[in-house]
Amino acid sequence: MDADAIDERMMSRALDEARKAARAGEAPVGAALVNATGDLLAIAGNAPISNHDPTAHAEIRVIREAALRLGNYRLIGTTLYVTLEPCAMCAGAISHARIARLVIGAKDQKGGAVFHGPRFFEQPTCHWRPEIVRGPYAEESAALLREFFKARR
């Protein structure tokens, strides 16, 4: 399977996790992490409310699960798919985990730290920078977030 097909399939799976998170009352963000051959290592949605853990963002959850599964905190050669631009905390975890490639759905002007805000990976103090790709389902990811927060206002 080629990289574009894997990107589409995995971002679709991450979007499904975002929908599950929304149904649970969490901000609708989903993430999936695959190894270099495209095999799924971990998949999760946001869960800070249900886990009583402010660090339980989708990205952190999949990084933790994959690191435990592989027995290594460095996730060399992996690709992380996330439906929303990562925040500074998640960008830091991505860098420390040495994730090779980051595929992002919707941009986040308010809380994002990749294209917005601190632009984490552009900082001279950032030791590891993944390849950053705008992924498929960006509009679907953004629409899910808009609908979720509109319903709460």
Side-chain angles (χ1 to χ4, degrees):
M1 187 176 291
D2 73 349
D4 288 341
I6 294 170
D7 286 356
E8 187 164 332
R9 181 174 55 113
M10 296 316 302
M11 193 60 99
S12 175
R13 301 263 322 259
L15 191 54
D16 288 343
E17 290 297 314
R19 290 183 187 105
K20 288 180 195 173
R23 287 192 297 273
E26 302 279 357
V29 179
L33 189 71
V34 302
N35 65 16
T37 58
D39 298 319
L40 184 65
L41 297 172
I43 190 163
N46 264 6
I49 298 167
S50 57
N51 286 4
H52 309 289
D53 178 359
T55 69
H57 290 195
E59 302 95 307
I60 300 292
R61 293 181 71 208
V62 297
I63 288 169
R64 284 179 179 156
E65 183 179 331
L68 284 171
R69 181 176 177 189
L70 296 174
N72 194 338
Y73 74 103
R74 292 214 170 147
L75 303 174
I76 306 294
T78 60
T79 297
L80 175 63
Y81 298 88
V82 63
T83 59
L84 181 66
E85 177 182 349
C87 69
M89 173 183 71
C90 294
I94 291 163
S95 179
H96 283 281
R98 305 296 196 265
I99 290 170
R101 192 164 169 263
L102 173 62
V103 181
I104 300 171
K107 289 185 176 182
D108 183 1
Q109 292 182 348
K110 186 175 180 181
V114 177
F115 303 115
H116 300 91
R119 298 179 188 257
F120 186 89
F121 299 115
E122 295 176 19
Q123 299 306 311
T125 54
C126 179
H127 298 291
W128 177 264
R129 294 164 182 82
E131 173 190 355
I132 299 167
V133 177
R134 284 302 310 276
Y137 299 107
E139 184 49 43
E140 291 86 344
S141 297
L144 180 60
L145 285 153
R146 279 191 305 272
E147 292 164 16
F148 177 83
F149 287 109
K150 183 179 177 182
R152 280 162 174 61
R153 289 188 178 103

